[in-house]
């Protein structure tokens, strides 16, 4: 029972960390129709910045998160203007190739600058210790990740479904030409959503560093995981991404606890089964691509 | 413009059969030049040929059927492992081993096609990745059969034709590989020019129109998956015979992604492009990655970005375009 509970808590926290990183990718893929395999690379940049700020400059954890998000967005925006904007309406293969190329460049350059070692992000004392919940105590960091995940999910849902920006974004996704004709500046909308997705990935990279350690090949190692999660959930759906992260996180963590020698076997088996049964993902949007 | 290209092609170029013979001759010449120029690097060159077979097989799926796959190494690894296991269990005749590898690749291709063709677009890509990862984990887990993370080793293939041994220098392995490549390439030229190959191209260009002609796409594409699997399996078996080691990296996402990069570099939808891309990529990797792996990644990344932006049809496609441009300008000047 104790094991089951601790596995469940770990799985839940891991799923939430995945969710924070992947929801940005889900947005770029579902709403902007870009298969951004470089998403993990931006999470990695966020992690490196946070590690530099927290460990080498000695600033607080909150500062590290904030600076990581701002720094990553500042790096990503020129890329959006120069590179991504040219592949918005190209084939999936071009998008995959371009973003794999960006990932390789990011890995090569960050390791050239920061050196090929594992980067740690020191946790503040409040999060490093276990917190007593009454029936059992769990690591404060796990609680923080779960809470952040819920806040992100709720905030995004509100932003997309209930605000003017969300309406403009959905209009631009639905029909770019018509949205432009109605005076919506779609380029700014796209850039803003891209920045939002990148900021979330940096945030997720930092808070999820306990589960997915920041290391030289981070962007490549988890590229497939992120892509798979989004595709299982159905691109562009917040609920779908949440469901996929929790499901796959649970399968992954349980498999690692109970049958570590199988590695990711069950994870990918589940992926194949889900994608074959729901080709559009668990809660994919019904309309077709393009 | 397309019509003009076809007309000029018909007028100026020699017949297709002659062209193929010329191409095969060029490949053989290049291979022999490699043999004479780099006698100390034959092991690397043999590996290059085996990867070239993998890239050719990927071209059949990506370039001729329009199905993006990031899991092609599953087929390659299946061939490599099966040939290796067969060799350890007493089947040592190299030609038979290659046939076994090709058959295993074809079987895996059948399976992979049956799964991948259920989806389209991005889910299809994800399925290909999931399949190769699944095989990777399975090969890692079944260590009693595959050697797990240590890899499979200790294969001793019988001498070629009973005479030429697979020795440390790798001369016979290299020439064996070159011969295989030539045969496979010749067969593939015939395949892609056959009505079946044309049908696959049609399905890539305009699936709706082909289905309106009354053709059911699934078995056609599945057949191409099987052929592609046989080619990839041949490459894997060649690697197993030549290096006498089969590692987990032969069935990995990284190898699949690298194969796609090589194909794109050379040009999608050209068999020659697949070869050119492999040679350039692997030669560069051999030189640069040995110096600094991270510089190598930056370089590959930059090249990929540049190709997508400036040369979407790869090097061979760009050369074609350039040649087309020159001949057109020449024609205009003549007029």
């Amino acid at each position: 029972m104790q094991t089951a509970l601790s596995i469940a808590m770990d799985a839940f926290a891991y799923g939430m960390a995945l969710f924070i990183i992947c929801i940005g990718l889900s947005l770029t893929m579902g709403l902007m129709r870009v298969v951004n395999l470089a998403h993990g690379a931006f999470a990695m940049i966020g992690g490196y910045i946070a590690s530099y700020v927290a460990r080498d400059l000695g600033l607080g954890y909150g500062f590290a998160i904030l600076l990581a998000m701002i720094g990553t967005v500042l790096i990503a925006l020129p890329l959006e203007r120069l590179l991504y904007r040219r592949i918005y309406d190209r084939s999936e293969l071009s998008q995959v190739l371009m973003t794999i190329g960006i990932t390789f460049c990011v890995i090569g350059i960050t390791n050239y600058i920061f050196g090929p070692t594992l980067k740690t992000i020191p946790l503040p004392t409040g999060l490093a210790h276990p917190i007593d919940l009454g029936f059992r105590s769990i690591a404060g960091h796990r609680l923080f990740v779960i809470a952040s995940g819920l806040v992100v999910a709720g905030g995004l849902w509100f932003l997309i479904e209930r605000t003017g920006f969300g309406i403009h974004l959905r209009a631009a996704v639905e029909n770019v030409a018509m949205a432009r004709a109605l005076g919506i500046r779609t380029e700014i909308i796209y850039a803003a959503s891209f920045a939002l997705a990148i900021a979330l990935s940096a945030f997720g990279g930092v808070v999820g560093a306990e589960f997915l350690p920041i290391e030289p090949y981070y962007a490549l190692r988890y590229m497939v995981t992120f892509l798979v999660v989004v595709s299982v959930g159905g691109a562009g759906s917040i609920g779908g991404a949440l469901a996929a992260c929790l499901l796959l996180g649970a399968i992954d963590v349980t498999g690692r606890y109970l049958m570590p020698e199988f590695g990711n076997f069950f994870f990918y088996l589940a992926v194949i089964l889900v994608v074959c049964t729901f080709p559009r993902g668990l809660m994919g949007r019904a309309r077709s691509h393009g | 413009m397309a019509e003009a290209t076809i007309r000029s092609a018909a007028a100026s170029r020699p017949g297709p059969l002659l062209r193929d013979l010329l191409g095969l001759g060029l490949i053989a010449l290049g291979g022999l030049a490699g043999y004479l120029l780099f006698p100390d690097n034959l092991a690397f060159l043999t590996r290059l040929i085996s990867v070239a077979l993998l890239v050719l097989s990927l071209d059949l799926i990506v370039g001729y059927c329009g199905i993006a796959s990031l899991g092609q190494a599953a087929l390659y690894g299946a061939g490599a492992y099966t040939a290796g296991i067969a060799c350890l269990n007493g089947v040592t005749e190299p030609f038979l081993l290659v046939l076994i590898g090709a058959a295993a690749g074809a079987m895996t291709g059948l399976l992979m096609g049956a799964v991948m063709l259920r989806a389209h677009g991005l889910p299809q890509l994800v399925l290909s990745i999931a399949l190769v990862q699944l095989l990777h984990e399975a090969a890692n887990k079944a260590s009693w059969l595959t050697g797990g993370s240590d890899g499979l080793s200790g294969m001793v293939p019988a001498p070629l034709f009973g005479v030429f041994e697979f020795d440390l220098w790798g001369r016979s392995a290299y020439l064996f590989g070159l011969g295989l490549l030539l045969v496979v390439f010749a067969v593939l030229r015939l395949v892609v020019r056959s009505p079946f190959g044309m049908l696959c191209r049609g399905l890539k260009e305009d699936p709706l129109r082909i289905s309106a002609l009354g053709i059911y796409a699934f078995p056609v594409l599945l057949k191409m998956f099987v052929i592609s699997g046989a080619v990839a399996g041949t490459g894997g078996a060649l690697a197993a015979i030549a290096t006498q080691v089969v590692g987990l990296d032969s069935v990995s996402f990284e190898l699949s992604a690298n194969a796609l990069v090589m194909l794109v570099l050379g040009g999608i939808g050209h068999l020659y492009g697949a070869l050119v891309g492999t040679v350039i990529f692997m030669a560069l990797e051999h030189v640069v990655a040995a110096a600094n792996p991270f510089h190598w990644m930056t370089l590959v990344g930059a090249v990929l970005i540049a190709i997508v932006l400036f040369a979407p049809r790869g090097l061979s496609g760009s050369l074609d375009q350039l040649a087309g441009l020159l001949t057109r300008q020449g024609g205009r000047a003549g007029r």
Side-chain angles (χ1 to χ4, degrees):
Chain A
M1 189 61 201
Q2 276 296 337
T3 345
L5 253 181
S6 71
I7 291 180
M9 270 330 270
D10 265 10
F12 192 42
Y14 176 62
M16 278 306 189
L18 267 185
F19 172 75
I20 300 175
I21 302 179
C22 292
I23 187 61
L25 179 59
S26 180
L27 289 183
T28 32
M29 269 167 46
L31 301 182
M32 297 156 75
R33 309 250 163 83
V34 181
V35 183
N36 184 12
L37 290 185
H39 197 73
F42 293 117
M44 174 167 138
I45 296 178
Y48 268 80
I49 295 178
S51 165
Y52 181 72
V53 169
R55 203 177 55 173
D56 299 331
L57 300 184
L59 295 173
Y61 193 60
F63 259 118
I65 292 179
L66 200 65
L67 285 179
M69 289 167 71
I70 295 173
T72 313
V73 168
L74 285 183
I75 292 173
L77 275 184
L79 290 181
E80 198 268 347
R81 269 213 79 95
L82 292 175
L83 301 178
Y84 281 91
R85 199 162 283 183
R86 293 161 193 256
I87 53 168
Y88 279 152
D89 48 359
R90 297 273 289 274
S91 72
E92 268 151 8
L93 188 64
S94 318
Q95 299 179 345
V96 164
L97 292 171
M98 159 85 85
T99 51
I100 286 185
I102 294 175
T103 308
F104 279 179
C105 282
V106 166
I107 292 179
I109 294 170
T110 34
N111 283 291
Y112 180 68
I113 298 175
F114 291 103
T117 51
L118 191 93
K119 303 287 174 210
T120 53
I121 306 170
L123 289 173
T125 43
L127 294 181
H129 294 297
I131 294 173
D132 200 2
L133 285 181
F135 61 101
R136 59 175 285 114
S137 63
I138 74 165
H141 170 259
R142 299 229 180 326
L143 273 186
F144 175 65
V145 170
I146 293 172
S148 316
L150 293 175
V151 169
V152 166
L156 271 182
W157 174 83
F158 184 79
L159 182 71
I160 292 177
E161 301 292 332
R162 288 284 180 274
T163 63
F165 174 79
I167 293 173
H168 286 181
L169 174 60
R170 280 182 287 145
V173 169
E174 211 65 56
N175 190 332
V176 183
M178 182 56 87
R180 270 196 198 134
L182 290 174
I184 299 174
R185 306 202 40 194
T186 52
E187 294 201 344
I188 293 184
I189 296 273
Y190 274 4
S193 356
F194 187 78
L196 177 69
I198 296 307
L200 281 176
S201 88
F203 180 54
V206 179
V207 299
E210 296 285 308
F211 302 101
L212 312 170
I214 303 293
E215 41 116 2
Y217 288 102
Y218 180 95
L220 205 57
R221 177 153 305 165
Y222 303 115
M223 167 198 276
V224 170
T225 315
F226 300 153
L227 182 70
V228 158
V229 165
V230 169
S231 158
V232 164
S237 142
I238 298 176
L242 196 58
C245 287
L246 293 180
L247 175 73
L248 293 177
I251 291 174
D252 202 20
V253 170
T254 318
R256 272 174 210 284
Y257 264 99
L258 302 181
M259 283 166 287
E261 70 274 21
F262 274 94
N264 287 324
F265 188 82
F266 291 107
F267 181 83
Y268 287 108
L269 193 64
V271 168
I272 292 176
L273 291 180
V274 172
V275 174
C276 279
T277 332
F278 308 95
R280 293 198 174 285
L282 291 172
M283 299 185 196
R285 305 190 159 221
R287 63 195 145 74
S288 63
H289 187 282
Chain B
M1 158 143 191
E3 254 178 64
T5 329
I6 292 167
R7 230 182 291 139
S8 72
S12 64
R13 289 185 191 172
L17 201 67
L18 198 68
R19 243 179 350 125
D20 281 355
L21 284 178
L22 205 71
L24 283 175
L26 274 179
I27 296 171
L29 215 64
L32 289 177
Y35 180 81
L36 295 176
L37 289 178
F38 307 103
D40 298 332
N41 284 338
L42 286 184
F44 167 70
L45 291 180
T46 315
R47 181 170 156 67
L48 197 154
I49 290 180
S50 110
V51 174
L53 286 170
L54 169 67
V55 179
L56 276 175
S57 79
L58 184 62
D59 198 12
L60 292 181
I61 292 184
V62 179
Y64 289 89
C65 298
I67 298 171
S69 167
L70 273 172
Q72 193 70 9
L75 311 176
Y76 179 83
Y81 269 110
T82 316
I85 292 166
C87 189
L88 283 180
N89 286 312
V91 185
T92 52
E93 168 57 38
F95 286 102
L96 197 58
L97 283 177
V98 166
L99 280 184
I100 290 175
M107 283 296 297
T108 318
L110 187 70
L111 211 74
M112 195 161 177
V115 173
M116 273 179 71
L117 290 173
R118 290 182 59 93
H120 291 283
L122 183 69
Q124 198 171 40
L125 194 70
V126 168
L127 275 179
S128 72
I129 299 173
L131 279 168
V132 72
Q133 298 278 30
L134 197 68
L135 268 184
H136 182 93
E137 297 294 344
N140 189 17
K141 178 71 188 79
S143 50
W144 53 274
L145 187 66
T146 60
S149 52
D150 294 337
L152 204 62
S153 56
M155 290 89 87
V156 186
L160 201 57
F161 303 117
V163 183
F164 305 104
E165 287 199 35
F166 288 98
D167 55 5
L168 207 59
W169 299 103
R171 288 195 198 108
S172 36
Y174 178 69
L175 292 178
F176 180 56
L178 189 60
L180 268 184
L181 180 68
L182 287 173
V183 172
V184 168
F185 196 85
V187 171
L188 288 188
R189 286 301 300 181
L190 292 180
V191 167
V192 300
R193 214 171 325 99
S194 68
F196 161 70
M198 288 300 180
L199 192 55
C200 285
R201 276 198 171 193
L203 280 169
K204 177 192 174 195
E205 303 291 337
D206 195 344
L208 195 64
R209 182 180 281 190
I210 299 288
S211 67
L213 290 173
I215 288 161
Y216 182 39
F218 179 76
V220 179
L221 296 177
L222 197 59
K223 198 165 146 195
M224 197 53 131
F225 259 98
V226 172
I227 296 174
S228 163
V231 174
T234 307
L238 172 65
I241 292 171
T243 58
Q244 287 149 31
V245 180
V246 182
L248 275 180
D249 59 329
S250 65
V251 43
S252 63
F253 170 71
E254 284 77 17
L255 182 61
S256 312
N258 277 346
L260 189 64
V261 173
M262 293 180 217
L263 177 59
V264 169
L265 180 66
I268 289 173
H270 289 255
L271 293 180
Y272 293 104
L275 291 188
V276 171
T278 314
V279 170
I280 294 179
F281 183 94
M282 295 214 28
L284 273 180
E285 184 184 29
H286 194 64
V287 177
V288 181
N292 183 332
F294 291 115
H295 287 339
W296 168 240
M297 292 201 90
T298 316
L299 180 70
V300 173
V303 166
L304 268 179
I305 295 173
I307 286 180
V308 174
L309 288 184
F310 306 116
R313 292 166 59 205
L315 287 179
S316 61
S318 298
L319 282 182
D320 272 3
Q321 224 166 9
L322 196 68
L325 217 63
L326 288 179
T327 46
R328 209 150 34 112
Q329 274 177 353
R332 244 180 236 153
R335 231 183 284 160

